[in-house]
Amino acid sequence: MRWGVLLLLALLREAEGEARGRLEAGHLHGHSLERGTGTKLLGWRRKIRESLLETDETRISQDLVGGSLAIDTLPDNETQIVEDNHSYYMSRFYGPGEARTKELWIDMAEANRSQVKVHGILSNTHRQASRVILSFDFPFYGHHLRQITIATGGFIFMGDVIHRMLTATQYIAPLMANFNPSYSRNSTIKYFDNGTVFVVQWDKVYLHGKEDIGSFTFQAALHSEGRIIFGYKEIPMSVLEISGTQHPVKAGLSDAFMLLNPSPDVPESRRRTIYEYHRVELDTSKVTSVSAVEFTPLPTCLQHQSCDVCVTSELTFNCSWCHVLQRCSSGFDRYREEWLSHGCGQESDERTCEDWAESDHYSPSPNSPFTSFDEDVTTSSLFIGSLTTEDDTKLNQFAGGDGVRNDLPTKTSGAPIHTGTIVGIVLAILLIAAIILAVIYISSHPTSNAALFFIENTPPGKVGLFGGKIYGTSRSMTSTVSTSFTLIPNQKYRRSSRRSKPFCNTVDTDSESLSTLGNFQALPLEIFQMVLKYLSVKDISMLSMVSKAISNRLINYISTSSGNRRLLLQDFHNLEISGMREGSCVLEHYRSLGLLLKRCTLLLPTKDRLKYIHKILSEVSCFKLSGCPSPLHCLGLQCYGVFLQTLTAGWDELECHRVFNFLCELSNLPRKVQTVVSSKPGSARKLELRIRLFCRSVLLNHWIHRSDSAFWLTRILKPWPMVNQARLLYIIFGPVSSLNGHVVWQKMTEGPTDETSLKGLADAIKLLYDTEAKEWTADDVISLVDELSVVPREWLMENNARLLILSGNNICFTFMASKAVNGRAVELAKIVVFLALVCEKDLYCMDWAVKMMQKVCKVFSTPGERNNFLQSVENAFAHMIMDMLQSVMSGDRDEEDSSFLNLFHLVNAQANFHKEILYLTMRSTSA
């Protein structure tokens, strides 16, 4: 008993000491942790503990989950410290009344002046970033970094690859917002580095467009042991009230890794895709004047240097040891590409550290990330990702650990499939094949025993279609019609008495025979129309195939006022029609209507079919090119396009020609196109918008096969000269305003654009270049691209290069080869330089640009021409860098100018471009 009491007292003392140590840890300065990084994301586990310190009556609330800050309700005279465990970091918020807040603020005025530097470029620009080299290795999520990028928007970018949207991930953000240091001479961005701490201070900066509110002063301090301090001196307004429409507003930390993924836009290419694996989001409502946040790094897998320590680690992460890399990791860090390429995630769990220790040597996996350098230019890869965030940056955020592991691309094979699984799959395939063969046999032999057995045993209300005939039964669905009727296949004789007794249609086995019931002539017209009310449009279209008489009755029914009201839904601006709450239901209705009219008019000539259909649809004003007053918010043209696609599916080209000519006569499309292509761009904006919507919604968007889309696009473009074709192509597929939908003509000439603005044009060019477009030659498409690059006037070369990349390898090479054949080496050299620049900006692999240049060099007939071309490429790089440098140094720029960032990208592009050339040369020499 005595030993039990002593043991209980010892445990209580130990628990008290541990709790007191955790509380005092928030006041320790210079605490150091070993290098660590993130692994499996388990979520933030929350524990709330309250303690009242006897010394200063300060209440501390710990939140070990981090999802939201847990703050107890305290009296006004008590200060608040909030702790959060974010798996990778422990954060502590200090309010204005806390003494620790003043201790964490680093006053640069008292520091050594030789160590404090004011960044001249960032202090006089808006939306700019600059790379700075630290004097020490800073551990960020366990990765030791020497280079960081300071941005004017109140954050530090910690990634290696600079791209257009730095605000998405891999940041340290004390207060990210749309700050404009160039507004005032007193606004500066300065940094301080004494070898143990690096401090960036945004001093007296103003929000762009909200300068009257006042200036902001805050800083971020990076300590050599990994601690991160956010200090806020002047915050004149609530951060929650800062608008995030033009620039993200947030505070916290984030990190990501990069993988090579196939490009959805350019099938023969790959792209570097950024995946965010962890983010710390602070509650910005607590960011006030004279406050601070302290981040202390937590231990993770990367700190372990041996297999034994790694596998026995008791961290919250799922640490694994990779013998090939000699690294401990969870697989979710900046080395993930290397982790996957060496098969670290596939190593057997049965092997122990002793098994690895017995191995004398190891060899790297053949799936090395450098194997892509050996590919030819026709199969080489661009790195393209599909990433989305609130900043429109390509980003995939993971919520879990193991689930993510299966979604990421990997080159290693998985575990072998069990034999039973293989047998089950084979049996299932054989069963499906047997069913398909049976259906084909019954369809092609409707008089066989199997087909007749199926017909006789079809339950009431079921309908089957075999060999172009309708089988099954149907029942009247009104209380006034009590007699059930049967749709019998139009065969000459019944199987059981095929020698003597002719097969006739019957109402029921107990009712008298009526030879005309199959044509519904025994039913009064009113009863027939009442039956139609209870059938869907798709069922009516199937009914029209029974006989010519029923088809004629259905044609008459459609022409009546009741049938017209039933079949022609016209309220395309209010989608809550007849209980249908989504636009897809309306589209499906008109797809079925197209099938109905197609079957009803099957025996008519094409010209008469079109006249009848026009007579039926002429009352729908939204189907007309200029009929709807608000075309952007109308579903009418899309319904018309779905109807037209269903109607003409399977028609030959001659009939489709007649359909296009008929539509042109009805809509007066050629005359309206002539107006927009011959007038000044933008002078007829409303007409441009209507032509764009009509061509895309009615003629182009709803086709499944590319050959059909190419046919209709050819019909639209071919009647016009090449100059007008380029302008019309821009009207239909070019960028538009998000506010009113009007075509933005100056998008390609005023500055670099994004891929979204060019994707439609690139897809149209690829469509015309494909073999499905029979009336277009490669020269025609290249000439069209050449004319397009001067609509409405000459584009920026960067936009030309981006369009060529999105158009694919074949079009890009053909375009560049045409320049080489025509002796335009200088212009071709500029294209190569801008291809390299776009690859650097948009995260494409630079070896693609080098191999494309190598392939173009083979077009030149003599070595002298090739040498002249290569010299022109070097001269183009040098001239562009000098021009951008002069623009940056002149200082005569508007607030949206991105000259400095463009210069940064161009220098990086040149370095990476020549690095790939060296790789290519070394491989050729070794071979």
Side-chain angles (χ1 to χ4, degrees):
M1 184 68 181
R2 181 181 302 173
W3 287 105
V5 174
L6 293 176
L7 179 61
L8 179 61
L9 290 175
L11 290 176
L12 290 175
R13 290 178 180 177
E14 183 178 355
E16 182 182 2
E18 182 182 358
R20 191 178 300 275
R22 288 184 180 179
L23 295 176
E24 294 174 354
H27 300 276
L28 295 179
H29 185 66
H31 177 63
S32 176
L33 290 177
E34 294 181 18
R35 181 185 181 193
T37 189
T39 58
K40 184 177 180 180
L41 304 182
L42 302 176
W44 295 334
R45 292 167 295 178
R46 174 168 297 180
K47 297 179 182 178
I48 300 179
R49 179 171 58 89
E50 299 181 1
S51 176
L52 188 63
L53 297 182
E54 299 177 356
T55 55
D56 53 3
E57 295 185 356
T58 301
R59 182 170 296 176
I60 301 177
S61 174
Q62 288 187 335
D63 181 0
L64 299 183
V65 177
S68 60
L69 301 180
I71 302 178
D72 298 331
T73 305
L74 304 177
D76 296 335
N77 59 350
E78 293 184 347
T79 58
Q80 303 174 3
I81 303 174
V82 181
E83 291 187 359
D84 287 275
N85 186 322
H86 309 281
S87 297
Y88 293 87
Y89 286 90
M90 171 74 75
S91 68
R92 295 181 179 87
F93 246 113
Y94 298 97
E98 186 65 31
R100 182 66 171 162
T101 303
K102 297 181 180 179
E103 296 176 5
L104 294 176
W105 178 265
I106 298 178
D107 192 353
M108 290 193 176
E110 299 178 359
N112 189 343
R113 292 186 177 182
S114 62
Q115 297 174 339
V116 178
K117 298 180 180 180
V118 176
H119 202 291
I121 296 178
L122 296 182
S123 299
N124 295 280
T125 54
H126 178 218
R127 289 180 178 265
Q128 298 292 337
S130 178
R131 182 65 63 88
V132 175
I133 299 177
L134 305 180
S135 62
F136 55 88
D137 290 333
F138 174 70
F140 183 65
Y141 280 88
H143 308 89
H144 287 250
L145 308 178
R146 268 296 179 102
Q147 294 185 0
I148 63 173
T149 303
I150 304 174
T152 58
F155 67 97
I156 304 172
F157 179 69
M158 307 299 291
D160 298 327
V161 180
I162 303 296
H163 45 83
R164 288 174 297 173
M165 300 299 295
L166 305 182
T167 60
T169 184
Q170 293 185 305
Y171 57 75
I172 294 176
L175 181 55
M176 184 186 297
N178 192 16
F179 294 111
N180 182 13
S182 64
Y183 174 76
S184 172
R185 292 184 178 180
N186 296 327
S187 300
T188 59
I189 294 180
K190 48 191 176 182
Y191 57 93
F192 164 80
D193 190 348
N194 64 358
T196 59
V197 63
F198 179 88
V199 184
V200 183
Q201 182 167 316
W202 290 262
D203 194 60
K204 293 182 173 57
V205 294
Y206 293 83
L207 282 173
H208 182 64
K210 298 288 184 179
E211 291 82 2
D212 56 329
I213 294 176
S215 63
F216 292 72
T217 299
F218 54 93
Q219 64 179 212
L222 314 182
H223 292 262
S224 58
E225 75 274 8
R227 287 190 307 125
I228 302 173
I229 309 297
F230 293 167
Y232 306 97
K233 185 177 181 180
E234 296 178 3
I235 307 296
M237 64 179 296
S238 172
V239 179
L240 297 177
E241 298 177 1
I242 300 177
S243 174
T245 56
Q246 297 181 352
H247 193 289
V249 179
K250 50 191 173 184
L253 311 176
S254 170
D255 199 24
F257 55 80
M258 191 172 294
L259 292 178
L260 311 185
N261 285 335
S263 165
D265 299 326
V266 186
E268 64 274 11
S269 62
R270 288 182 300 168
R271 203 181 208 175
R272 289 172 291 182
T273 307
I274 301 175
Y275 293 88
E276 183 180 62
Y277 66 88
H278 189 261
R279 177 185 293 190
V280 177
E281 292 184 351
L282 298 180
D283 187 355
T284 54
S285 64
K286 298 177 177 58
V287 176
T288 60
S289 299
V290 196
S291 63
V293 183
E294 181 180 19
F295 295 93
T296 303
L298 299 176
T300 54
C301 296
L302 282 182
Q303 70 184 32
H304 303 312
Q305 303 299 321
S306 65
C307 178
D308 294 330
V309 178
C310 177
V311 297
T312 58
S313 173
E314 296 182 357
L315 300 177
T316 58
F317 302 103
N318 185 18
C319 300
S320 301
W321 179 257
C322 181
H323 180 66
V324 177
L325 299 176
Q326 292 291 292
R327 180 184 301 153
C328 181
S329 174
S330 67
F332 290 94
D333 51 45
R334 295 194 180 192
Y335 307 125
R336 179 163 180 81
E337 178 68 28
E338 190 178 15
W339 184 270
L340 294 176
S341 62
H342 287 81
C344 296
Q346 305 296 330
E347 290 185 354
S348 176
D349 295 334
E350 297 179 358
R351 301 196 65 175
T352 62
C353 295
E354 290 75 11
D355 297 333
W356 291 123
E358 293 175 358
S359 301
D360 295 332
H361 63 276
Y362 62 90
S363 58
S365 170
N367 297 323
S368 172
F370 301 103
T371 55
S372 61
F373 290 127
D374 297 329
E375 299 173 356
D376 184 69
V377 68
T378 57
T379 59
S380 67
S381 299
L382 304 178
F383 296 169
I384 303 181
S386 56
L387 312 157
T388 54
T389 61
E390 72 277 13
D391 318 319
D392 198 25
T393 300
K394 302 176 180 65
L395 181 68
N396 285 338
Q397 187 170 351
F398 298 148
D402 295 335
V404 180
R405 200 180 292 262
N406 295 329
D407 296 335
L408 296 177
T410 176
K411 299 180 182 178
T412 56
S413 60
I417 303 177
H418 194 269
T419 305
T421 305
I422 298 177
V423 173
I425 293 174
V426 172
L427 292 177
I429 294 175
L430 293 177
L431 179 61
I432 294 174
I435 294 174
I436 293 175
L437 292 175
V439 171
I440 294 175
Y441 176 78
I442 294 174
S443 301
S444 58
H445 299 80
T447 59
S448 63
N449 294 335
L452 294 175
F453 175 81
F454 179 81
I455 297 169
E456 293 171 357
N457 291 275
T458 301
K462 302 292 183 181
V463 177
L465 181 61
F466 294 105
K469 302 179 179 63
I470 301 295
Y471 299 99
T473 59
S474 178
R475 291 182 178 177
S476 173
M477 286 167 279
T478 66
S479 57
T480 59
V481 182
S482 60
T483 304
S484 62
F485 54 89
T486 306
L487 302 181
I488 305 298
N490 190 16
Q491 301 175 21
K492 190 173 183 179
Y493 298 102
R494 183 186 294 269
R495 175 169 58 90
S496 60
S497 57
R498 69 177 61 162
R499 289 186 179 180
S500 59
K501 186 178 179 180
F503 182 53
C504 58
N505 300 327
T506 59
V507 177
D508 262 332
T509 56
D510 298 331
S511 60
E512 61 177 323
S513 300
L514 295 174
S515 61
T516 58
L517 185 59
N519 296 333
F520 279 88
Q521 293 180 2
L523 291 177
L525 181 62
E526 294 79 5
I527 302 298
F528 176 75
Q529 293 185 1
M530 291 177 64
V531 172
L532 295 180
K533 291 181 180 180
Y534 292 90
L535 297 179
S536 66
V537 179
K538 184 178 294 185
D539 293 335
I540 296 175
S541 68
M542 297 180 67
L543 185 63
S544 66
M545 299 180 63
V546 173
S547 67
K548 183 178 179 180
I550 291 182
S551 179
N552 292 332
R553 280 202 173 189
L554 290 176
I555 290 178
N556 295 331
Y557 169 73
I558 296 172
S559 302
T560 61
S561 58
S562 59
N564 195 279
R565 288 194 304 270
R566 160 83 189 283
L567 299 176
L568 295 183
L569 305 178
Q570 299 189 37
D571 190 4
F572 302 105
H573 305 86
N574 180 16
L575 299 182
E576 296 183 1
I577 305 172
S578 302
M580 294 180 293
R581 299 183 179 276
E582 296 184 2
S584 59
C585 299
V586 183
L587 293 174
E588 187 62 31
H589 173 85
Y590 273 94
R591 183 175 284 107
S592 301
L593 182 62
L595 187 61
L596 170 61
L597 294 182
K598 181 177 185 175
R599 290 172 174 174
C600 288
T601 60
L602 188 63
L603 301 179
L604 298 177
T606 302
K607 186 176 181 179
D608 295 338
R609 297 176 80 176
L610 295 177
K611 287 184 178 179
Y612 170 75
I613 291 171
H614 170 64
K615 179 182 177 182
I616 297 299
L617 302 182
S618 59
E619 298 181 3
V620 185
S621 60
C622 291
F623 285 177
K624 302 175 183 178
L625 190 146
S626 302
C628 182
S630 56
L632 279 179
H633 305 92
C634 180
L635 206 64
L637 291 180
Q638 296 185 42
C639 292
Y640 194 20
V642 168
F643 172 87
L644 184 67
Q645 186 270 333
T646 307
L647 178 70
T648 60
W651 291 13
D652 58 29
E653 289 190 1
L654 180 60
E655 291 179 318
C656 290
H657 270 286
R658 293 173 179 171
V659 173
F660 180 76
N661 294 332
F662 187 78
L663 290 175
C664 289
E665 292 179 6
L666 293 179
S667 60
N668 202 11
L669 181 63
R671 187 172 181 178
K672 294 177 179 178
V673 170
Q674 176 67 36
T675 301
V676 297
V677 298
S678 59
S679 59
K680 183 180 178 181
S683 59
R685 293 184 179 274
K686 292 184 178 180
L687 185 57
E688 291 172 356
L689 173 61
R690 292 187 179 275
I691 292 175
R692 177 189 177 96
L693 294 177
F694 186 84
C695 291
R696 296 187 65 161
S697 300
V698 177
L699 302 178
L700 298 174
N701 280 357
H702 304 287
W703 298 103
I704 300 175
H705 303 292
R706 292 178 60 84
S707 57
D708 294 326
S709 301
F711 170 82
W712 290 97
L713 183 58
T714 301
R715 302 280 71 76
I716 296 172
L717 297 179
K718 270 298 182 179
W720 307 99
M722 188 66 68
V723 176
N724 293 342
Q725 286 180 11
R727 181 172 291 189
L728 184 56
L729 196 70
Y730 193 93
I731 291 175
I732 298 174
F733 296 102
V736 295
S737 171
S738 58
L739 299 177
N740 50 27
H742 292 163
V743 179
V744 183
W745 289 96
Q746 309 302 325
K747 183 80 170 181
M748 307 301 173
T749 61
E750 293 181 343
T753 187
D754 54 3
E755 294 176 355
T756 306
S757 302
L758 290 167
K759 190 177 184 304
L761 293 171
D763 291 341
I765 293 170
K766 287 191 289 187
L767 186 65
L768 299 178
Y769 191 85
D770 289 345
T771 55
E772 288 86 353
K774 303 175 183 178
E775 301 179 38
W776 297 86
T777 64
D779 292 338
D780 292 337
V781 177
I782 296 306
S783 299
L784 182 61
V785 174
D786 228 353
E787 290 291 344
L788 186 64
S789 63
V790 292
V791 175
R793 57 178 186 271
E794 189 172 0
W795 289 10
L796 294 180
M797 289 291 292
E798 180 179 333
N799 294 333
N800 280 340
R802 190 169 280 111
L803 177 63
L804 290 176
I805 291 177
L806 292 176
S807 299
N809 281 0
N810 293 331
I811 295 176
C812 184
F813 169 72
T814 306
F815 183 84
M816 297 175 69
S818 67
K819 303 289 184 184
V821 171
N822 295 324
R824 301 162 71 176
V826 176
E827 183 178 350
L828 179 60
K830 291 183 179 179
I831 294 176
V832 172
V833 172
F834 277 99
L835 286 177
L837 180 61
V838 173
C839 287
E840 179 65 27
K841 279 188 173 183
D842 295 353
L843 302 181
Y844 290 92
C845 184
M846 191 62 69
D847 70 338
W848 178 88
V850 173
K851 291 180 180 179
M852 183 65 70
M853 184 187 69
Q854 183 188 25
K855 190 174 181 180
V856 171
C857 283
K858 299 177 182 179
V859 178
F860 293 100
S861 56
T862 63
E865 292 178 344
R866 285 194 292 271
N867 293 335
N868 181 40
F869 166 64
L870 295 177
Q871 184 62 45
S872 299
V873 173
E874 295 303 317
N875 293 338
F877 265 118
H879 292 161
M880 286 182 58
I881 291 176
M882 291 303 299
D883 292 342
M884 288 187 180
L885 183 60
Q886 291 178 3
S887 176
V888 169
M889 298 304 294
S890 64
D892 186 17
R893 306 182 303 278
D894 56 26
E895 59 186 16
E896 297 296 337
D897 187 24
S898 57
S899 301
F900 179 80
L901 194 56
N902 282 333
L903 175 62
F904 180 85
H905 283 305
L906 183 59
V907 172
N908 275 352
Q910 184 186 32
N912 293 329
F913 186 81
H914 288 90
K915 181 185 69 175
E916 297 298 337
I917 292 178
L918 290 176
Y919 283 146
L920 187 65
T921 305
M922 292 174 63
R923 286 197 301 272
S924 300
T925 304
S926 60

